Amino acid sequence: MDGPRRAARADGVRRETTIHVRAPARTRDLIDKAASSLGKTRSEFILESARSRAVDVLIDERLFGLDDSRHAAFLDALDTPPAAHPRLVALMRRRPAWEA
């Protein structure tokens, strides 16, 4: 056998997995109405919305804005090494297990 069959859409995009979601009927109806207003299927609308939100969440974890004084303090903190902690110093002096 050549592996799992994958459904191909008319636009040639292959679907590789399925996501099942249980939702209240009112939520499904709201999603259907919004999808229809954009000329999309429920699945297209949900997937596009979820993907967009996922990208936003991940970007928010990496990007943040600071005013000038906070930016200067942030750069100062990055440029100032923390005080050496005895346990960290001991750890860095140990020979790694893969070199033993």
Side-chain angles (χ1 to χ4, degrees):
M1 188 166 206
D2 293 342
R5 294 185 65 176
R6 294 182 178 154
R9 293 175 31 154
D11 59 8
V13 175
R14 290 187 150 202
R15 292 177 279 172
E16 299 171 353
T17 190
T18 301
I19 301 172
H20 297 279
V21 178
R22 288 194 167 281
R26 292 179 69 178
T27 300
R28 182 205 55 217
D29 295 344
L30 177 66
I31 291 168
D32 286 349
K33 186 174 183 178
S36 177
S37 74
L38 295 175
K40 297 183 180 291
T41 66
R42 180 189 307 148
S43 292
E44 290 169 335
F45 182 83
I46 291 172
L47 188 57
E48 184 179 292
S49 298
R51 185 181 188 288
S52 176
R53 179 69 176 127
V55 168
D56 289 346
V57 166
L58 295 175
I59 286 174
D60 284 346
E61 289 181 355
R62 290 172 178 76
L63 301 177
F64 54 93
L66 300 172
D67 60 30
D68 289 343
S69 64
R70 288 183 178 171
H71 183 254
F74 177 71
L75 291 179
D76 186 49
L78 290 177
D79 291 338
T80 305
H85 189 280
R87 288 174 47 191
L88 179 59
V89 172
L91 176 65
M92 297 307 292
R93 288 186 178 151
R94 279 194 340 213
R95 170 176 261 160
W98 59 86
E99 289 183 4

